[in-house]
Amino acid sequence: PVTYVFTLRNIGTIPVADVSMVDDTCADVVFTSGDDNNDGILDIGEIWNYRCSTTLFTTSTGVVTATA
């Protein structure tokens, strides 16, 4: 079993909405914390945390994609 922890930061100049993360190794990437004002928008300076778990049977390299 492997647990991945991801950190997502907004380094842009405007807040972003409809944020999602997908990992090609884990089926479900779950938001765990970081939306300081609970508005569902990744504000400038916020750091959002995600987690997923899976079982690996061979050496693996994962690709994580964040979209907003």
Side-chain angles (χ1 to χ4, degrees), residues 2 6 12-14 16-17 19 22 27 34 36 39 47 50 53 61 64:
V2 175
F6 307 107
T13 58
I14 60 170
V16 293
V19 177
V22 177
D36 295 335
D39 64 355
I47 300 170
Y50 294 81
S53 297
T61 300
V64 181

Side-chain angles (χ1 to χ4, degrees), residues 11-56:
I11 60 170
T13 58
I14 60 170
V16 293
D18 299 320
V19 177
S20 66
M21 291 198 57
V22 177
D23 181 298
D24 68 342
T25 306
C26 292
D28 296 314
V29 178
V30 178
F31 173 82
T32 58
S33 66
D35 189 5
D36 295 335
N37 56 2
N38 295 315
D39 64 355
I41 296 173
L42 180 57
D43 295 311
I44 298 165
E46 279 187 335
I47 300 170
W48 286 12
N49 300 295
Y50 294 81
R51 176 182 305 251
C52 70
S53 297
T54 191
T55 301
L56 298 178

